[in-house]
Amino acid sequence: MFAAIFNTDGGPVDCRAVIAAGHDVEVLGGQRQVAFVSSKADSSPASAEASGIRNLGGRTWIVGRLRLDGRDDLRSRLSDRLGSRSADACDAELCLHAYAAWGDGFVDRLAGDFCFALYDGERNRLICARDQLGVRPLFHAEAGGLQFVGDSLDWIVSQAPVARALDDAWIADFLSVGHCLEFDRTVYRDVKRLAPAHVLTISDAGATVR
């Protein structure tokens, strides 16, 4: 499990409950208004794709689940930045270097199975992306000035102080065709699913999806 919490009110994020649950937590930003959460290493198959919390020069951070395709081509295009560490760079580090090189367009150059949250400390914004086929899920919710993003629907519902009211449209679709016809809905009305091949950007101004 991984998650990110962004306080759009500009204040610090209170992570005491998350830390008490035994997760790895790193608080970021000048006002400590962003927190990254990552489950401690386990032996499940999915753990091999967990990035943990990584950073590039103390300016950008990433957490997520990543399995990139075309690593050699990506390393070649980023060789000037990677230098002698090119062969050792993991997928999370490749994402950080890709963002440093190409800015917002970096996601267009990524292929594979991934969902992640990347925090740009200089621009104080969170960039969350989901792969083109939607192999990896990514959920988000807003509550009381806090934006919650993560790959676990149960975790967001347990942490975000949002109403647990069910989404009647999601339930109707599920009962009639076996799945929801709208990508962004979940069984909970106030928790959204990021659609495949979409990017969620969160800043002090709020959240936008493209």
Side-chain angles (χ1 to χ4, degrees):
M1 188 280 295
F2 78 89
I5 307 170
F6 191 110
N7 187 351
T8 56
D9 289 340
V13 177
D14 184 352
C15 295
R16 286 174 293 183
V18 181
I19 295 172
H23 298 300
D24 291 328
V25 179
E26 189 165 342
V27 183
L28 314 171
Q31 303 298 319
R32 300 176 64 80
Q33 69 182 101
V34 180
F36 274 3
V37 183
S38 178
S39 294
K40 295 186 182 297
D42 58 43
S43 58
S44 67
S47 67
E49 299 170 357
S51 71
I53 302 171
R54 297 177 179 270
N55 78 89
L56 179 61
R59 296 178 180 177
T60 53
W61 290 259
I62 192 169
V63 65
R65 294 196 180 276
L66 303 104
R67 188 205 56 79
L68 296 182
D69 294 328
R71 295 181 185 90
D72 291 341
D73 179 59
L74 192 57
R75 287 190 180 103
S76 177
R77 287 185 286 167
L78 294 169
S79 59
D80 290 345
R81 290 182 173 273
L82 294 171
S84 61
R85 294 195 62 253
S86 177
D88 300 326
C90 67
D91 289 353
E93 291 169 334
L94 289 175
C95 283
L96 288 171
H97 282 284
Y99 176 71
W102 301 308
D104 290 354
F106 83 112
V107 292
D108 300 326
R109 301 171 187 254
L110 303 179
D113 307 335
F114 57 80
C115 59
F116 61 79
L118 183 152
Y119 175 62
D120 183 335
E122 294 185 337
R123 301 179 68 177
N124 193 35
R125 63 177 187 161
L126 193 66
I127 300 171
C128 310
R130 190 175 176 205
D131 63 77
Q132 291 87 343
L133 295 179
V135 175
R136 301 285 174 258
L138 196 61
F139 306 98
H140 59 101
E142 188 277 332
L146 295 176
Q147 294 276 354
F148 297 84
V149 182
D151 67 338
S152 170
L153 179 62
D154 291 340
W155 186 87
I156 288 183
V157 171
S158 71
Q159 294 292 322
V162 297
R164 297 192 181 187
L166 300 179
D167 187 323
D168 292 339
W170 188 97
I171 294 172
D173 282 351
F174 181 79
L175 292 176
S176 59
V177 299
H179 62 275
C180 184
L181 299 177
E182 297 181 55
F183 281 120
D184 64 337
R185 289 183 180 272
T186 72
V187 66
Y188 297 104
R189 185 178 60 200
D190 295 321
V191 183
K192 303 301 181 185
R193 184 197 313 268
L194 189 65
H198 278 63
V199 177
L200 168 69
T201 302
I202 302 172
S203 67
D204 289 336
T208 60
V209 175
R210 68 175 180 85

